[in-house]
Amino acid sequence: MQRYTPALIVFDLDGTLADTIKDIADSVNRVIALYGFGPHDVDAYKRMVGDGFLSLIEKAIPDDAVRNIELVQEILARAVQEYAAHSLDATRPFDGAKETLKLLSDREIQLAVLSNKPQDLSASIVGALFRDIPFIAVWGNLPDRPRKPNPAAVLQICELANIAPQNCAFVGDSSIDMKTAKAAGMTAVGALYGYRSREELLDAGADFLIASPQDLIALFGAE
């Protein structure tokens, strides 16, 4: 694909802009321990995140417990509450992320965030870590907002920016993000420094791969 400079870049949050995995792992492990379920290591959580908190809880507890819908909802509520209280304990922007966002913004490229993390958590984390970045939207999961890889939300962001999807790029670290980009008709950029593998990103249709946030500057000719 020929290199171009997109008018809008939409970013995933976890594993793309911020390294959030330790706080997620620690919070969920503390809650599931209350129910007698064993913990998972950080690498396991890297494979479990990406499809929203409900999916994460369903993957973190035993299969027989998943069949108890009331129990799942109880654990989910407690885990979200626990994580909200500890979401910035160890979470940090990836090296170069803030500087890259500033450079892209200075080149008049519009920026947005779309995460499957709950809306309030997405907004609070981005607000704390990237308060100086003029995102046009910071969207997380809401009951009436389809989760990625459904492209509806990212297409709404394109409409908000008044930019056609083919003039936009989506940057993320998972197959869910790549599938979202392809379904929306956007350029799909896979973040190799995130939580998933090169193979997963390529299999899901990544147009480009980056080894660091700074690679976006050269990739899109925004030097």
Side-chain angles (χ1 to χ4, degrees):
M1 181 178 293
Q2 185 177 1
R3 190 175 76 167
Y4 76 109
T5 301
L8 166 69
I9 303 177
V10 182
F11 292 86
D12 173 49
L13 178 55
D14 301 279
T16 302
L17 289 180
D19 190 1
T20 58
I21 201 67
K22 187 176 189 303
D23 288 334
I24 293 172
D26 289 350
S27 297
V28 175
N29 278 339
R30 283 192 294 268
V31 170
I32 63 177
L34 299 175
Y35 296 85
F37 304 138
H40 306 279
D41 62 26
V42 167
D43 284 340
Y45 278 102
K46 287 181 179 180
R47 297 187 293 272
M48 290 191 281
V49 297
D51 197 25
F53 236 84
L54 173 59
S55 174
L56 172 61
I57 297 304
E58 290 174 339
K59 293 170 184 173
I61 64 178
D63 290 343
D64 58 342
V66 174
R67 291 189 285 271
N68 185 333
I69 296 174
E70 290 185 1
L71 176 63
V72 171
Q73 290 299 318
E74 179 181 326
I75 295 173
L76 172 63
R78 295 182 76 162
V80 169
Q81 183 178 33
E82 179 71 9
Y83 178 54
H86 296 279
S87 62
L88 292 167
D89 287 1
T91 290
R92 299 291 183 272
F94 281 104
D95 289 345
K98 287 197 288 188
E99 295 82 358
T100 296
L101 292 170
K102 180 67 165 56
L103 284 169
L104 294 170
S105 178
D106 287 347
R107 303 309 190 270
E108 299 186 349
I109 297 172
Q110 296 193 64
L111 307 173
V113 176
L114 179 61
S115 175
N116 279 340
K117 186 191 294 290
Q119 173 66 43
D120 290 350
L121 284 166
S122 298
S124 65
I125 291 171
V126 171
L129 300 183
F130 303 100
R131 60 173 56 89
D132 297 327
I133 305 301
F135 293 110
I136 65 165
V138 177
W139 287 7
N141 186 37
L142 287 173
D144 60 348
R145 181 178 292 158
R147 296 195 317 275
K148 301 177 293 183
N150 187 308
V154 77
L155 288 172
Q156 289 175 19
I157 292 174
C158 292
E159 290 179 7
L160 181 67
N162 196 28
I163 297 170
Q166 59 265 31
N167 294 325
C168 305
F170 196 106
V171 183
D173 72 311
S174 74
S175 60
I176 289 172
D177 298 315
M178 300 303 96
K179 290 175 181 176
T180 303
K182 304 310 285 187
M186 302 169 67
T187 299
V189 181
L192 293 173
Y193 56 87
Y195 301 150
R196 303 293 178 82
S197 69
R198 173 188 295 267
E199 291 73 24
E200 176 177 326
L201 294 169
L202 290 174
D203 288 347
D207 297 303
F208 300 104
L209 298 175
I210 56 172
S212 69
Q214 296 96 316
D215 286 351
L216 286 173
I217 303 301
L219 175 62
F220 289 135
E223 297 95 337

